[in-house]
Amino acid sequence: MEKSYETYANKFKTLISEFEEETKKIENTANQIAIDRRFTDFGRQEHITGLKADLEKLRVEYTDILRGLVKQFCEEYAVSFSEDGADHGTDIANALKVIEMCGANITPDLFRSVVDPLKGSYKALKVISDVLTIRWENQPLDDKYDKEIRGIILDYMGSDVEVNSYVEYLNDVKAVTDYPVLLDYQLVNVGVNGASRFEVRNQTRYSVCVLPDEIIRMGRMYEELTLKCPLLFKNQVTS
């Protein structure tokens, strides 16, 4: 079964292929006009101007479609912070109290027991994680928590490094949708010595050209992280 991220990538490639077919027709028409003796210079220029307008309209149309497709992908593959809807105020208070009372002497088993009621809420776990981080950074070496304690909270929340890397990557892909035009194609006269010959030049940014590959890469990252960080990566990747 095709994965949804593969569907997005293939749809992007199909749209690009359709767009390039249309631009090729414009290029061919321009070159036919250039050698057609039935046109006056004025009439020829008027038709070429019209073709350039057609290309611009096509660029805008396909840019809007592709921008919407990428935005939809980024929304679907965004990090989803899981919340079980429960009021964890008391659970958080109890956990913090035990952590404060035990200090660096808290055992992994005890720590796991006090944070286990919070495992359905990323925000609640983040509170505990932030407290541990502050204490870890400000306490002397002999008064720090066991490293296993930190590992337990990260296991519940997901690896910060991997999650942050994924979010940064997603933001880079999403930033492409802010470009005024995604497909930068221009109808240009490349003839010499007074002769006219037209070609459609593709000056599209590299970051747009590689979007199908980036979508596949992100989809695979997301798929792996669903296993490691189920609280954050919950969407199914099958179509």
Side-chain angles (χ1 to χ4, degrees):
M1 180 180 294
E2 187 176 63
K3 308 295 178 62
S4 66
Y5 58 82
E6 294 172 334
T7 301
Y8 278 109
N10 290 333
K11 179 64 174 177
F12 195 97
K13 290 178 181 178
T14 298
L15 288 167
I16 293 296
S17 178
E18 291 176 358
F19 174 81
E20 290 181 339
E21 286 179 9
E22 294 300 318
T23 63
K24 192 63 179 178
K25 292 177 183 178
I26 291 175
E27 181 182 276
N28 291 338
T29 301
N31 283 312
Q32 289 171 5
I33 292 172
I35 61 175
D36 194 327
R37 296 182 179 275
R38 292 176 298 175
F39 291 102
T40 64
D41 288 344
F42 176 80
R44 186 176 292 109
Q45 184 58 46
E46 189 175 37
H47 277 78
I48 295 300
T49 299
L51 289 174
K52 289 181 178 180
D54 291 342
L55 178 57
E56 177 62 22
K57 181 179 178 181
L58 202 63
R59 288 201 317 157
V60 172
E61 177 185 347
Y62 273 83
T63 285
D64 289 343
I65 296 172
L66 292 172
R67 180 182 288 120
L69 185 69
V70 176
K71 284 184 175 180
Q72 184 178 348
F73 168 80
C74 290
E75 290 173 2
E76 182 174 333
Y77 281 79
V79 176
S80 301
F81 291 93
S82 180
E83 292 300 326
D84 54 17
D87 181 2
H88 288 291
T90 300
D91 294 328
I92 293 174
N94 289 339
L96 292 177
K97 184 177 181 179
V98 173
I99 292 170
E100 181 63 27
M101 289 176 59
C102 296
N105 294 319
I106 189 170
T107 64
D109 287 341
L110 178 57
F111 179 76
R112 193 183 298 276
S113 69
V114 297
V115 298
D116 195 66
L118 308 174
K119 65 182 181 181
S121 171
Y122 184 87
K123 290 180 180 179
L125 290 169
K126 186 69 165 56
V127 172
I128 306 301
S129 177
D130 288 347
V131 170
L132 293 177
T133 299
I134 293 171
R135 184 178 178 88
W136 183 271
E137 292 176 349
N138 292 285
Q139 293 297 103
L141 184 61
D142 58 355
D143 196 28
K144 291 183 183 294
Y145 296 109
D146 188 305
K147 288 184 178 180
E148 188 175 347
I149 299 296
R150 189 67 179 156
I152 291 171
I153 196 71
L154 290 179
D155 283 343
Y156 277 122
M157 295 173 64
S159 172
D160 288 343
V161 174
E162 289 179 292
V163 172
N164 290 340
S165 176
Y166 177 86
V167 171
E168 290 176 5
Y169 196 178
L170 182 68
N171 287 338
D172 287 342
V173 171
K174 191 173 182 180
V176 173
T177 64
D178 292 330
Y179 296 168
V181 176
L182 268 62
L183 302 173
D184 189 4
Y185 285 60
Q186 302 289 337
L187 182 62
V188 181
N189 186 350
V190 295
V192 295
N193 298 327
S196 293
R197 184 175 70 83
F198 292 91
E199 68 176 33
V200 173
R201 286 185 175 174
N202 179 6
Q203 298 176 310
T204 300
R205 300 190 199 190
Y206 177 78
S207 53
V208 175
C209 297
V210 298
L211 274 174
D213 293 334
E214 296 294 88
I215 287 173
I216 291 294
R217 183 179 175 187
M218 285 209 64
R220 289 172 178 167
M221 287 176 64
Y222 190 100
E223 197 168 20
E224 292 176 3
L225 288 168
T226 56
L227 303 176
K228 297 179 181 179
C229 316
L231 286 180
L232 304 179
F233 300 84
K234 303 181 298 180
N235 295 331
Q236 297 295 316
V237 297
T238 55
S239 57

